[in-house]
């Protein structure tokens, strides 16, 4: 059951990260996938600083920060083509 919560939190984090990174998003579906990956990445980054979360809100904040970082890195690597 916890795995399902992580996926739902990641999806919500991807949505929020897409809203935070205006112009840096890659569409709803890709932002949601990046949110799930952001949860893992955010947890890893927080663990580097010795931080951990135990609540759903803490996991959401970690996931949003991780997703924003992933969206920021992706925007540096893949510039959108101007039509």
């Amino acid at each position: 059951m916890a795995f399902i919560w992580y996926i739902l939190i990641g999806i919500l984090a991807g949505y929020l990260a897409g809203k935070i990174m205006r112009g840096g998003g890659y569409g709803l579906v890709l932002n949601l996938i990046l949110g799930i990956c952001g949860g893992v990445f955010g947890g890893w980054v927080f663990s580097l600083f010795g931080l951990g979360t135990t609540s759903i809100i803490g996991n959401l904040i970690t996931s949003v920060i991780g997703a924003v970082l992933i969206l920021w890195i992706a925007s540096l690597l893949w510039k959108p083509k101007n039509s």
Side-chain angles (χ1 to χ4, degrees):
M1 186 68 179
F3 185 70
I4 294 171
W5 276 113
Y6 288 129
I7 290 174
L8 292 175
I9 289 171
I11 289 171
L12 182 59
Y15 175 77
L16 292 173
K19 294 297 180 186
I20 291 170
M21 297 287 293
R22 280 186 251 167
Y26 293 98
L28 183 62
V29 174
L30 192 54
N31 282 352
L32 299 180
I33 293 170
L34 287 174
I36 294 170
C37 296
V40 174
F41 185 67
W44 178 73
V45 169
F46 274 42
S47 71
L48 291 176
F49 294 109
L51 301 172
T53 61
T54 57
S55 67
I56 291 176
I57 300 299
N59 290 337
L60 179 63
I61 292 169
T62 302
S63 296
V64 169
I65 291 171
V68 166
L69 287 173
I70 286 179
L71 283 173
W72 178 69
I73 292 169
S75 70
L76 292 176
L77 298 176
W78 293 286
K79 301 285 183 187
K81 296 178 183 178
N82 293 334
S83 300

